[in-house]
């Protein structure tokens, strides 16, 4: 069994528990680093934005080998679910809208033994160049909605090969889902997809 450990900061300032907090706030809660900096200052810990940014960058670099392993596992799948989701991005004075390109591998419904996994790619806009670059070398079946950014992936001249579109899953489920506020008098098992 392989053991992965985060190398200690050479200055000895921060432990892994503290480092996890700004990483989550930046990546998981989409907070700008000035928010945790101000909160830490109220608790008596004065840190500059550049120090927090340096620590986030160092952790990102340390975790990159793990990310690359997960990405390789996801892109080894024959079938992916792709989604383009809006993400609120808090700036100092306002909230912007970013995009999160999500690609999920889950072979369990198809009898596959591989564990499910997901990768996320952030972008500031909704241009179609992003999914094209995310899936540049991947080939297979893409389950996705009608987001136009995916269209270039299905073109006949795409290299290494055009992707196969699988919209049937979305169309079947949208026909089966009841309107909000109505509960059917039958089992919820009907929502289990093929």
């Amino acid at each position: 069994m392989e053991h992965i450990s985060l190398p200690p900061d050479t200055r000895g300032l921060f432990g892994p528990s503290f480092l996890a907090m700004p990483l989550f706030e930046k990546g998981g809660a989409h907070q700008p680093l000035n928010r945790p900096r101000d909160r830490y200052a109220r608790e008596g810990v004065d840190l500059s934005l550049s120090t927090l940014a340096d620590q986030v960058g160092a952790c990102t670099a340390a975790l990159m080998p793990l990310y690359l392993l997960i990405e390789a596992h996801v892109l080894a799948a024959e079938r992916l679910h792709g989604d383009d989701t809006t993400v609120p991005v808090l700036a100092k004075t306002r909230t912007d809208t970013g995009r999160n390109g999500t690609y999920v591998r889950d072979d369990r419904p198809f009898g596959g033994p591989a564990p499910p996994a997901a990768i996320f790619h952030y972008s500031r806009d909704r241009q179609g160049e992003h999914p094209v670059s995310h899936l540049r070398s991947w080939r297979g079946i893409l389950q996705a909605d009608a987001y136009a950014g995916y269209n270039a992936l299905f073109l006949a001249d795409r290299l290494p090969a055009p992707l196969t579109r699988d919209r049937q899953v979305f169309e079947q489920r949208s026909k089966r889902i009841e309107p909000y506020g109505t509960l059917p008098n039958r089992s919820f098992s009907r929502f289990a997809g093929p």
Side-chain angles (χ1 to χ4, degrees):
M1 185 162 129
E2 191 175 340
H3 179 71
I4 298 174
S5 64
L6 184 65
D9 185 274
T10 55
R11 297 172 295 216
L13 293 175
F14 307 111
S17 189
F18 174 81
L19 292 173
M21 290 189 297
L23 279 176
F24 171 75
E25 290 169 8
K26 181 85 174 138
H30 314 291
Q31 299 283 323
L33 290 176
N34 64 308
R35 302 268 174 104
R37 178 207 55 197
D38 295 346
R39 189 173 63 253
Y40 301 149
R42 285 191 301 271
E43 296 173 10
V45 179
D46 289 321
L47 296 171
S48 68
L49 279 178
S50 64
T51 299
L52 283 174
D54 288 347
Q55 296 305 312
V56 168
C59 290
T60 301
L63 293 170
M64 186 54 71
L66 180 59
Y67 169 79
L68 293 174
L69 287 172
I70 294 171
E71 181 183 47
H73 172 68
V74 169
L75 295 179
E78 293 177 14
R79 175 185 302 265
L80 289 180
H81 170 76
D83 192 34
D84 178 70
T85 305
T86 59
V87 178
V89 180
L90 300 176
K92 284 187 177 185
T93 59
R94 62 188 173 96
T95 301
D96 290 334
T97 300
R99 310 301 294 192
N100 211 358
T102 306
Y103 304 97
V104 178
R105 170 191 186 146
D106 189 358
D107 298 328
R108 295 173 300 177
F110 309 101
I119 55 175
F120 304 91
H121 291 281
Y122 172 79
S123 63
R124 297 288 291 175
D125 55 47
R126 198 169 193 230
Q127 294 181 4
E129 66 193 32
H130 301 300
V132 170
S133 69
H134 302 159
L135 300 174
R136 181 180 309 112
S137 61
W138 185 74
R139 63 172 76 188
I141 300 169
L142 181 63
Q143 294 175 309
D145 59 12
Y147 166 48
Y150 295 127
N151 289 347
L153 297 169
F154 304 109
L155 296 176
D157 61 347
R158 178 188 181 264
L159 295 176
L163 298 186
T164 304
R165 181 181 297 236
D166 187 356
R167 284 220 40 196
Q168 183 179 8
V169 171
F170 291 96
E171 291 166 0
Q172 286 177 351
R173 292 201 175 159
S174 65
K175 291 176 186 171
R176 291 188 291 185
I177 295 175
E178 301 287 332
Y180 178 75
T182 61
L183 290 176
N185 276 337
R186 48 197 180 276
S187 166
F188 284 103
S189 65
R190 69 188 185 86
F191 289 105

